[in-house]
Each structure stands twice: as C-alpha cells, then as structure tokens.
Amino acid sequence: MSSNKKYWKSVEELNENSSIVETLRNNEFVEAIPTDEFLSDKDSLSSSSTTRRDFLKYVGFSTAAASLAACEGPVHKSIPYVLQPEQIIPGVADYFATSMFDGFDFANLLVKTREGRPIKIENNTIAGAKFAANARVHASVLSLYDSLRLKVTKVAQKEATWVEADLKIKASLAEAKSKGGQVVLLTNTLASPSTEKLIAEFISQNPTAKHVVYDAVSESAALDAFEAVYGERALVDYDFSKANTIVSIGADFLGDWQGGGFDSGYAQGRIPQKGKMSKHIQFEANMTLSGAAADKRVPMKIADQKLALVKIYNIVTGASVGLGKVANEDEVVKAAQQLKDAGSKGLLVSGVQDKNAQLLVLAINQALTSEAFSTAGTRQIRKGSDAKVAQLLADINAGSVHTLIMSGVNPVYTLANGKAFAEGLKKVKLSVAFSLKEDETASLTNIAIPSTHYLESWNDLMLTKGTYSLVQPTIRPLFSSKQFQEGLLSWNGNSTAYYDYIKANSAAYLNGLTWNKAVHDGVVAGVASTATGGSADFSAAASVLAQSKPLANFELVLYTKTGLGDGQQANNPWLQEFPDPITRVSWDNYLTVSKADAEKLGLENEIVANGGLNGSYATVKVGDATITAPVIIQPGQAVGTIGLALGYGKKAALKEEMQVGVNAYALYNNFNNVQSATLTKADGEHEFACVQSQKTLMGRGDIIKETTLTVFTAKFDEPEVWNPSPMVSLDHKEVKATSVDLWESFDRSVGHHFNLSIDLNACTGCGACVIACHAENNVPVVGKSEVRRSRDMHWLRIDRYYSSEETFAGDNKKKKEFDGLFGEKGSLGGFGEMENPGDNPQVVFQPVMCQHCNHAPCETVCPVAATSHGRQGQNQMAYNRCVGTRYCANNCPYKVRRFNWFLYNNNDEFDFHMNNDLGRMVINPDVNVRSRGVMEKCSMCIQMTQKTILTAKREGREVAVDEFQTACSAACSSGAMVFGDVNNKESKVAKLAEDNRMYHLLESVGTKPNVFYHVKVRNT
C-alpha cells in the first residue's frame, strides 16, 4: 500500500496559487544562461565577473574556440551539441585522409579526430600514398593547438579585420598597377596546382607582379643541375629499394636531404634475404643518420668530397678529367669500382651544394643506367631559386618593390642577411605576411594575417609529378584566420570559395575517380611523364670541380636536425624534448667537433656527478658574423670540420622555455651549407640535456648482437655461431639460459598474445615512433632541467651505441682477450678505453620500451599490485593503485619505467601544452593523464589492441591478420617495428619470432620478454 503522505520543502509550496512555485515546478533552470552576452560581445566577455570555471560550466566545453571549431553541426556558439552531427559518435574516433606540406616536410596522412578534435597523425597506407610521416609531421598536430598562434589580423601592429586588410591590399595593388610599381608574391614552394593557377591568374591581372619561391633550406644547386639537363625544375625521386650498391657523397638521405622520405625504400634492401642485402658506403663530414646506417663510413671534408665525385665520375664513365691526389683515395676507388660493377643496380647520391657536383651525380647515374634513378615522377617539393631571392633582396633595398605579399616564409629569421631584409621592408609601400605566428617577419610587416593550419585548410598538392593529393580540413579554423589562397581569390575578383575552385580544377588530375572518392582516399595515383633531354657538358663540370681547393680554415657544415628541421615548429615542446638520434641531446643546438680538433683547442665534454653532460663554449666566425655556442665532441666528425644545426635561436612568438640554441641561419651565406670558419674556445661551461651518457656498447654483446653478411650467409643454419644464446650452469652442465626458470609458465596459446618485433637492420633512428607514442599516450613534456636530471618521461627511447674499435666485433674481441686487471690486456684499463668511442665508430640504434616480460621482475616486487600481467601478454599498470615506491623501476633490468616526480598537467612550472586549455585539446581521451607520484611506462598501446578486438566483435568477424597495431609500429615507415598476435601463425610477427636472427634483450636474466629483436647484419 503506497503512502499518500504529502511532503513539502518550504511554506511557500503550501500556497497552491503561488507563481513562484509553478515556475520552479516547470523550469529546472529559471534564469536563462546568458550565452549571447558572453559570446557575441567581446567587451562584455572581457569585463564579465563570471569566473572561468562558471563560464566553462555554461558552455559545456573546456575550450570555447576549439570546441566551436570541433562542432561540425550548424551551431555558431560554443555550447553543447543541440543537433548532434550525424558523423560524430561520442567515444568513437573518426579518420580523415589528408596530406601535409609546409615547404619543408610533406606526407600523406590519416588524421584521427575525437569529438571533432584532431588528436593524432597516422600514415595513409592506401596505394599511391608513398610518403610517410616523420617525427615533425607527427608532432604537427600539437602545433595546431599552439596558444601563441596569431589569432587576429593586424594592421600596423593593431588588431583589425580581414575586410580592412583586404581593402588596403586591393588599394595597394591598384596603385602599383597604375604607377607601374613592382608587386612580389614571396612564398615557400607550394606544390599545389590550384594555388599555382591562382598565382598565374593574379600575375595576368597585375602585369608588374612576379612570384618568387624561397626555401629556407636551399636545394637550388640540385634544381639548377636537373633543370640544365632535363629542362624541368625538380628533384629526382630516387627508389633506394632498387639499388644493391649505394654510394653517398655527403647526402643524408635518411635525414632531410632533398626532403627525406627515402627510408622506406632503403630499408627494404637492408634486411638480408636469401643471402643478399644492399651495400651502403657513405662519405661525409658530420655524423648523420645515413652515416650511422652505412656499412662503410669515411669521414671526409667537403672539398675532398668534390674531388671524390670527380674520381668516381672518371672510373664509372671512363672519362679522364685531370685530378690530383684524393683524400682516402683507396676507399674512393674501391667504392667507385663497386658502383661500376653494380651497373643498373648501383646508385650515387650527393648532398654537395654545388651545381657542378650535382651535374656529375646525374652523369654517373646515367652511365650506370641506374634503376633507382628515374626522371619520371620527379619531386615537386623544392622549387626555390637562390638567384631570384638574392635579386628580390636587392630590389627591396633599392626601394623598387611597391607591394610585397609573403606566405609560408620568415626571411628575417632564415636569411643570413635577415637584418638587411628587415631594413628593406621599411622601403616597401605595403608589406603583407600570411603567417601562423607573429614571427620575426610578420611582426615587422604593415599587415599580418593569421594563416590557417593545414588541418584547418582545403588544398591540393602534387608532391611528385603525376600524383595528386588532397588536403581537407579536420576542424574548423580555431581563430580568425585566412588562407593565402582565399586572399588570391579576393584580389583576383573571384567570389568562388577555394573549396569550389579546387574541385573545379581537380578534373584534370582525378584519373577517372569521383571527387568524393578522391577526398576519401586522399591520394590519386597517376602516370608521370618522363623528363626528356639528358645531355649537358659533364666533362666541363668535372674539370671545374677538379679545381676545388680546401678551405683555409675550418669547414662549417650547416645541417637540419631530426627534431626541429628548418625551425618552423620551434614552439612545439614534443620536438624540443625529442633527443637527437646521434648526440642524444635535446633542447639545444651545438657545434660538433672531432676529438682531435677539440684537444687542439682545449674544448671539453664531461659527465658530472648527477649524470648530466657539460661542455665548453666556442666562438665560430664566418666573415663578419660570429656565434658562440656549446660544443659536443662528436665521434666520426671529419677532422677540420664543424657541424651546426639550423632551426634554433628563434625568439618571436615563442614561449621562454622554447627560446633555446643559436640562429645558425646567420652563417648561411649565399645559401651554401659549407662556410669557411674560424673556431676559438670561449669562456663558460654549458649544461646539456643529454639522455644517454654512456658512449659505447663496451662489449655488452647480449644487448646489441651483430654479424657480417658473409658469416650470416655461410652459417645461416647454424645461428649459434652468429646469434649465440647465453649459457648458464645447471647441475654442472652448460645449458641455455632461456631453458632455466624460477617460475612455472602459464599456457599462453589460447586467445591473443601480443609480441613486438624490432629489426636492427631496418631501424634508422628517425624517431617517428617516439613522437607517435607521445601523441597516442599523453606522454608529458618535462623541460630541459628535468631531462638533465634523468627525469625524461619518454615511454620509448632509441639508444645509440658507438664502437670503440673499428667494429663492434672488435669491441667483443678486445673484451674477450682481457687478461688480469692490469697491463696492456688488463680489464681495468681496457674497459676504460672501451668507453672512448673510436674516431670513426660504427653506430647502431636500438629502440627500447617496456619489454612486457612474461616473467616480469617489476610485478613480483610491487607491494600494492599496481603492476600485473595480462592474459594477452601486456604488462599492465593500475595507476590508481600505484603509491610510487619505485621498487619496480629498481628491479627492471631495461630501465624503461618513468616516475612522475611532479604533476606535469596544469602546472605553471611546466608551461608546455598541458598547461593551457588549447594545448590540452590534443589529449587522447582513451588514455588517462597520470598524476604526481605514480610510475608509468609503455602499455603496448592496450587501448589500441582492445579497440581492434571490440571493432571486430561489433562487426561480427575475426580480427584480420596483422590488423593489430601500436602507435610505434604504425608510425614506423622503415618496417623495423612489427606488432601483432603471435598466436596467429599467419601473422608477420609470428613468422618473425621463428626467424634465426631473433633474440631477446638480456636473455640471461630470464624475463622472457614479449618484445624481441633481430641481429644486425652488416654487408662488409
């Protein structure tokens, strides 16, 4: 029997005629939320006393601007979904195909979005999408949420609207047209058919206008040479997978040489198959990724590299250009002979910035009829002309430029004579900059217009001739930004939207596909025509090059680092904290010098008590310009040369923590990456943030296992010869360490069991996996001082090892021959010597993450059971249980666990992306953000593996073979990392687990990891 008793809360409720009672009954919220007042009136918003917390309660999102942009429905205010967009399902990720090109980096991509927010970059693997994301492209999603982006148009450094700016630009163009004043469009390489068509229409309407293409890091010498031979300004898209013998003269093709992106093809030939693998010989000054991967590396000055090119040209083509003695002549002749013997399977590449040198590259590859060298499908990603940029600078300073409109360039920062450009801007009647940031150039122009990020833009690209890529927005513009192309349309008097313009222009490139299909796929593969021609006076070029003389002083070799590239993303904390693959230093650029030169000049590096690396300062002088920078003593640096990375030393529109390093562009005279320089020691000592203090492998052969192709082939069926298993004593008999166990093993053959394979032959150390892991797993950035204290939070590190002898085999031999403690073969002195890498060491990279041991030592010592083992092989962390004893870290032989010393999220002491609402928009909601006092480490992307399982379950099917991925394996373009279910015998990882080259890290410890490696084989 129900009660009919009446309950009431106030006396007022007893009055049935009360209007207040009736209102309260019918309306949960009596007073309307004043969203109109907040969102439509800027002054009201800024003067409102409403707290930030209450405001965000009202609007229902964490960040007003970005949430509005993420809302794809017809909602114009930042409020919760009123009409939820059909394509957005909360909790389910959407993927959009797009492409990226910023004038330096380029890739074909899939963009992962959650509730309309782009949060992760993935590689587009559809046929025709040949360019994978490097570390910088993976990090570019964070640059979208840069809180220091230029947000509104500025006219004369004051906030304005696009309409005001547009009217001023149109007026200036009209005045220039009537008075015959020069109009210049200064852009980076665009590689966009639609944009180039727009520019052509603009020039036809403005007869005094011209288009100047400027690449901050020039490839003009190679462009000039190719144009002279084939009549087309482009670069060869080399296919390294078709080369059996590769000779590189100063070309870091695994780095940023001619745009990079060659690592996938290169790695295909580096994995030994049927007793064969490609041979790679590298001549270079700086130690590079390519030099580190080479079978034979020869340190060589640039002047000597030019002579070596002539020598190789003579041998391969049969020419007889007069030439004196060449440095390392035996090695040069040997490489040339091997190249000639390889014939069509040979390839020569060069990074020497000299037109004559690049002409010889074309001549040698023509003579070889190299299959890896093709004039079809040339790269369109570099078009800059040094001569035209120099002419523009002269015109500006002469006052003959009336209107200057810039997009995608920052010449005040990137030009060696940037100050002259800045002075010249004062003589230009109207200067305009489309820029993501109010950078060094935009801050000096009459009009600065916020440019859209590529993830906010429509565009088309032709990265290689015959391949058409589409760029589509994955979020609405976060700020009041305008695309450069929208400006061109306006100035051309064309009211068409740029989307419609691209769509209309795309018909010539779609190859029979529909527009929607092309947008869905992101790439349309076509047939590229072959560049015709192929003749030039190569002998004359060789004769000029043969006269090359060594520089009187040091050779300063300028290069771009894997992390920052040309410096466009200098405000990206993921990239700043990314350790350089070679030096393992983050948050800095520096002068690299050889040990011999360092000893002469009294330059030092030392590891101090807290494990940090300190180094001397040195002053480098080129002409009238001087720079003082810290010094890294770099094994393998050619004697008489110095290395210095471009892309650092920016100040404008950067947070203070990001303003690191020195601006090497100031020494980039005449766009030549080699300069004659003097070097002197300076006062002071620099503190580096270096994450790997150890210098060598020091004979620890169970960490890196290595052999030669000869031994590997001859003893393929006897892996114990070249891949020995560690032995232990059991009952006075030697048995394999892996056969002895302290624990009973579980049956792991039922269900999924995940393994990760890492091939040391394919790994180039590029670091794309490190940044992908950051993005997927919300890994925090801790800053330089914390990295120096060995508190970096990277879940995945790429260890770099040097040899102290000529080879790692020499290291092992030396260790085995130790006899006693003292004397010539004494272990005390011997191990000390092995800590000093050789003058030209061999190098190897080894990615290391949590090994997800089946017998994990971390699990047995955790007093609160915060870390445990899953049925699928993953070592799991329950963060809420963790009390931070760090016993697990002490007990881990691989040192892969990270302790949260501080709260890195929403903490002013760590003013990076996690300290502002906009930056936190990149956070992956599938992975929680860890707090202070807990341990964290690689989870083997458990959220990804579980999603794959649930997706298959929802679709009523089995998980496909090789469908499982982790962030690192999906990002690895070289194929070094393969992830999958080892219980599925058809999977790649199951087959790799049975390979003779397979071994586990520190097998003797008995941890039985679920990550395994493959012995490195060198073709020597």
Side-chain angles (χ1 to χ4, degrees):
M1 180 176 170
S2 62
S3 170
N4 59 1
K5 186 187 290 186
K6 182 175 182 178
Y7 292 91
W8 46 273
K9 289 193 260 184
S10 69
V11 175
E12 187 68 32
E13 286 187 47
L14 298 176
N15 181 359
E16 293 184 0
N17 297 320
S18 170
S19 60
I20 295 173
V21 171
E22 193 62 28
T23 302
L24 291 172
R25 267 189 200 140
N26 297 325
N27 296 319
E28 184 181 356
F29 302 107
V30 181
E31 188 175 341
I33 298 172
T35 52
D36 286 335
E37 298 172 23
F38 283 109
L39 299 175
S40 61
D41 189 332
K42 184 176 69 176
D43 295 329
S44 297
L45 182 59
S46 60
S47 62
S48 169
S49 61
T50 304
T51 65
R52 171 183 170 278
R53 183 182 291 273
D54 286 342
F55 172 72
L56 294 178
K57 260 193 251 175
Y58 293 154
V59 298
F61 284 97
S62 61
T63 304
S67 299
L68 165 61
C71 182
E72 293 291 333
V75 181
H76 298 288
K77 295 171 186 169
S78 182
I79 57 178
Y81 290 132
V82 176
L83 299 173
Q84 181 179 312
E86 184 180 321
Q87 66 270 34
I88 292 181
I89 302 172
V92 177
D94 289 309
Y95 291 83
F96 296 90
T98 190
S99 292
M100 180 264 195
F101 179 55
D102 63 5
F104 190 75
D105 292 309
F106 52 94
N108 303 118
L109 309 171
L110 291 178
V111 181
K112 178 183 178 182
T113 67
R114 280 292 302 268
E115 287 73 59
R117 297 177 294 117
I119 62 169
K120 179 101 187 322
I121 299 298
E122 305 276 8
N123 289 323
N124 189 347
T125 56
I126 198 168
K130 61 184 294 185
F131 295 117
N134 60 20
R136 295 185 295 270
V137 175
H138 278 288
S140 64
V141 68
L142 182 57
S143 295
L144 169 69
Y145 301 114
D146 187 345
S147 60
L148 293 184
R149 278 179 61 184
L150 182 58
K151 298 176 178 65
V152 295
T153 298
K154 291 192 175 182
V155 176
Q157 280 74 51
K158 294 181 181 178
E159 290 189 7
T161 65
W162 158 251
V163 174
E164 293 174 68
D166 192 36
L167 288 172
K168 284 185 176 291
I169 295 168
K170 285 177 177 175
S172 182
L173 291 173
E175 184 180 310
K177 193 172 184 179
S178 63
K179 294 183 177 179
Q182 189 179 150
V183 176
V184 177
L185 298 177
L186 177 63
T187 73
N188 55 2
T189 300
L190 298 166
S192 166
S194 293
T195 310
E196 285 165 4
K197 184 180 178 185
L198 272 176
I199 289 174
E201 291 169 0
F202 176 84
I203 292 173
S204 69
Q205 293 188 26
N206 298 274
T208 60
K210 66 178 181 179
H211 180 208
V212 177
V213 180
Y214 168 46
D215 295 321
V217 179
S218 175
E219 291 288 354
S220 197
L223 290 165
D224 292 344
F226 193 84
E227 189 174 23
V229 176
Y230 296 102
E232 176 189 341
R233 196 164 184 78
L235 298 172
V236 177
D237 188 31
Y238 297 96
D239 186 350
F240 282 80
S241 68
K242 295 179 178 177
N244 289 344
T245 301
I246 301 162
V247 176
S248 170
I249 310 288
D252 183 16
F253 56 84
L254 295 179
D256 295 328
W257 174 77
Q258 295 192 4
F262 298 108
D263 49 345
S264 177
Y266 173 79
Q268 288 179 42
R270 297 295 288 167
I271 298 173
Q273 293 176 339
K274 298 179 180 177
K276 294 182 179 180
M277 62 181 284
S278 62
K279 180 153 191 176
H280 172 196
I281 305 157
Q282 184 87 7
F283 299 89
E284 62 181 11
N286 296 345
M287 174 67 83
T288 66
L289 289 179
S290 302
D295 296 305
K296 180 68 179 178
R297 179 183 179 274
V298 182
M300 185 178 278
K301 296 172 80 169
I302 307 300
D304 294 328
Q305 290 177 29
K306 293 178 179 179
L307 299 178
L309 260 175
V310 179
K311 189 75 174 179
I312 294 171
Y313 170 76
N314 279 346
I315 293 172
V316 171
T317 65
S320 54
V321 175
L323 189 66
K325 182 74 174 173
V326 178
N328 300 104
E329 185 155 359
D330 290 345
E331 295 292 349
V332 173
V333 171
K334 186 178 176 183
Q337 198 57 56
Q338 288 178 327
L339 198 60
K340 187 176 182 180
D341 292 344
S344 64
K345 291 293 183 180
L347 174 65
L348 180 130
V349 293
S350 177
V352 176
Q353 295 298 314
D354 183 294
K355 182 180 176 181
N356 291 315
Q358 294 300 326
L359 283 170
L360 292 195
V361 172
L362 300 177
I364 291 167
N365 286 315
Q366 280 183 9
L368 293 169
T369 62
S370 172
E371 293 176 19
F373 171 90
S374 172
T375 60
T378 51
R379 292 187 170 204
Q380 306 294 305
I381 46 90
R382 296 283 188 275
K383 291 290 182 74
S385 169
D386 296 348
K388 289 182 179 178
V389 174
Q391 183 59 51
L392 172 63
L393 185 60
D395 291 345
I396 287 174
N397 281 291
S400 58
V401 176
H402 182 279
T403 305
L404 175 64
I405 301 174
M406 295 173 282
S407 174
V409 294
N410 184 10
V412 173
Y413 165 68
T414 56
L415 279 175
N417 43 0
K419 289 181 180 177
F421 191 91
E423 287 299 313
L425 281 178
K426 298 173 184 176
K427 301 175 183 178
V428 176
K429 188 73 180 290
L430 183 73
S431 55
V432 182
F434 283 80
S435 177
L436 283 169
K437 310 286 287 289
E438 196 171 3
D439 55 30
E440 290 81 355
T441 303
S443 60
L444 298 178
T445 54
N446 304 125
I447 299 176
I449 300 166
S451 182
T452 53
H453 192 272
Y454 79 93
L455 292 173
E456 305 168 321
S457 311
W458 279 105
N459 204 1
D460 61 359
L461 296 171
M462 188 169 282
L463 300 174
T464 59
K465 202 170 184 180
T467 303
Y468 186 66
S469 306
L470 285 167
V471 181
Q472 66 169 316
T474 57
I475 189 170
R476 290 184 186 176
L478 299 179
F479 309 114
S480 300
S481 49
K482 280 286 174 185
Q483 253 183 283
F484 173 58
Q485 290 86 347
E486 293 179 275
L488 286 169
L489 283 164
S490 176
W491 308 326
N492 290 349
N494 190 336
S495 59
T496 308
Y498 187 49
Y499 166 82
D500 295 321
Y501 188 90
I502 296 171
K503 188 175 180 181
N505 195 44
S506 66
Y509 308 102
L510 293 185
N511 231 14
L513 290 182
T514 63
W515 167 256
N516 285 348
K517 176 66 173 170
V519 172
H520 173 272
D521 292 353
V523 179
V524 180
V527 179
S529 59
T530 303
T532 54
S535 62
D537 193 347
F538 296 126
S539 294
S543 298
V544 173
L545 208 61
Q547 306 306 312
S548 300
K549 303 292 181 190
L551 300 178
N553 303 308
F554 280 94
E555 285 184 353
L556 172 66
V557 183
L558 301 170
Y559 67 101
T560 54
K561 278 178 71 172
T562 307
L564 281 198
D566 65 348
Q568 289 187 57
Q569 295 193 72
N571 206 42
N572 192 312
W574 287 349
L575 294 176
Q576 288 281 10
E577 192 144 298
F578 172 70
D580 181 75
I582 300 293
T583 63
R584 309 294 287 134
V585 172
S586 59
W587 294 98
D588 257 318
N589 66 339
Y590 32 76
L591 297 164
T592 57
V593 299
S594 68
K595 185 179 179 182
D597 290 328
E599 288 174 349
K600 286 179 187 175
L601 296 168
L603 302 171
E604 297 177 341
N605 282 160
E606 67 168 338
I607 298 172
V608 293
N610 68 355
L613 179 69
N614 289 3
S616 305
Y617 281 102
T619 299
V620 60
K621 184 177 182 183
V622 176
D624 296 328
T626 59
I627 281 179
T628 299
V631 169
I632 287 284
I633 299 172
Q634 176 61 57
Q637 183 80 29
V639 176
T641 68
I642 318 162
L644 181 61
L646 301 162
Y648 286 79
K650 285 172 71 78
K651 303 292 183 187
L654 257 69
K655 288 186 177 181
E656 187 177 350
E657 293 86 351
M658 312 288 180
Q659 297 177 21
V660 295
V662 296
N663 184 7
Y665 281 112
L667 308 180
Y668 193 34
N669 296 330
N670 301 317
F671 304 99
N672 194 337
N673 69 333
V674 182
Q675 301 287 333
S676 175
T678 58
L679 187 69
T680 53
K681 185 176 180 179
D683 295 332
E685 190 173 58
H686 185 78
E687 295 185 345
F688 289 105
C690 181
V691 298
Q692 181 165 312
S693 297
Q694 67 264 37
K695 297 186 183 71
T696 70
L697 180 62
M698 207 169 155
R700 293 185 286 269
D702 52 348
I703 295 176
I704 297 291
K705 291 190 178 183
E706 180 175 299
T707 187
T708 64
L709 184 63
T710 305
V711 173
F712 175 75
T713 305
K715 301 287 184 179
F716 180 77
D717 295 323
E718 301 175 56
E720 62 276 5
V721 174
W722 47 269
N723 185 14
S725 294
M727 309 296 283
V728 296
S729 177
L730 179 67
D731 297 331
H732 307 290
K733 294 179 182 178
E734 275 207 333
V735 297
K736 288 185 178 181
T738 51
S739 67
V740 182
D741 213 334
L742 295 176
W743 292 274
E744 288 185 17
S745 292
F746 294 98
D747 178 13
R748 304 186 187 279
S749 62
V750 178
H752 303 296
H753 189 80
F754 299 121
N755 273 203
L756 176 64
S757 167
I758 301 175
D759 195 325
L760 299 182
N761 262 52
C763 179
T764 63
C766 71
C769 54
V770 175
I771 302 299
C773 177
H774 259 282
E776 177 66 32
N777 295 298
N778 303 331
V779 177
V781 173
V782 301
K784 181 177 179 179
S785 63
E786 290 298 295
V787 172
R788 181 171 166 80
R789 291 182 174 92
S790 302
R791 294 177 179 174
D792 63 288
M793 295 300 295
H794 296 104
W795 282 13
L796 163 61
R797 70 176 192 264
I798 303 179
D799 288 337
R800 178 268 302 130
Y801 293 106
Y802 293 140
S803 61
S804 62
E805 301 296 313
E806 286 271 326
T807 64
F808 282 105
D811 280 4
N812 291 331
K813 183 173 182 289
K814 183 170 184 175
K815 185 188 75 167
K816 287 175 183 175
E817 290 178 353
F818 286 156
D819 185 9
L821 292 175
F822 305 102
E824 286 186 15
K825 293 189 176 182
S827 60
L828 287 180
F831 276 121
E833 289 172 10
M834 291 179 74
E835 282 290 0
N836 295 315
D839 292 335
N840 182 30
Q842 284 189 340
V843 186
V844 67
F845 298 109
Q846 184 176 54
V848 181
M849 66 294 289
C850 174
Q851 302 290 292
H852 295 272
C853 310
N854 289 317
H855 293 168
C858 56
E859 295 168 12
T860 58
V861 295
C862 181
V864 292
T867 181
S868 59
H869 211 70
R871 179 82 194 201
Q872 296 170 345
Q874 290 145 317
N875 176 255
Q876 299 168 348
M877 280 293 303
Y879 296 125
N880 279 5
R881 294 186 65 90
C882 181
V883 294
T885 63
R886 289 176 285 158
Y887 296 164
C888 56
N890 291 337
N891 223 36
C892 174
Y894 308 105
K895 301 307 167 195
V896 290
R897 288 179 164 263
R898 301 289 176 259
F899 181 65
N900 280 273
W901 290 90
F902 300 97
L903 178 68
Y904 301 113
N905 176 35
N906 203 20
N907 186 340
D908 288 344
E909 292 298 317
F910 301 93
D911 191 19
F912 307 112
H913 67 288
M914 283 191 181
N915 195 41
N916 62 76
D917 286 338
L918 189 62
R920 281 195 292 269
M921 296 298 282
V922 83
I923 286 175
N924 182 1
D926 293 331
V927 181
N928 66 340
V929 176
R930 285 73 64 186
S931 188
R932 180 188 178 190
V934 303
M935 296 296 304
E936 62 180 78
K937 51 97 200 169
C938 161
S939 68
M940 209 174 257
C941 290
I942 190 169
Q943 71 282 359
M944 293 178 69
T945 55
Q946 293 309 301
K947 178 187 177 296
T948 303
I949 292 168
L950 291 171
T951 299
K953 184 178 180 181
R954 189 176 69 246
E955 295 174 359
R957 60 176 177 83
E958 290 186 358
V959 177
V961 177
D962 300 323
E963 186 176 355
F964 288 112
Q965 288 286 7
T966 58
C968 56
S969 66
C972 183
S973 58
S974 67
M977 290 183 173
V978 177
F979 177 79
D981 179 5
V982 77
N983 283 344
N984 183 341
K985 298 308 176 185
E986 297 302 312
S987 67
K988 285 182 184 176
V989 78
K991 293 171 182 174
L992 289 168
E994 300 300 321
D995 193 283
N996 283 354
R997 286 200 297 137
M998 188 278 285
Y999 75 97
H1000 290 108
L1001 204 55
L1002 300 177
E1003 285 178 331
S1004 56
V1005 180
T1007 54
K1008 297 192 181 302
N1010 282 315
V1011 177
F1012 58 85
Y1013 296 81
H1014 281 76
V1015 174
K1016 187 171 182 68
V1017 180
R1018 292 192 189 269
N1019 192 356
T1020 52

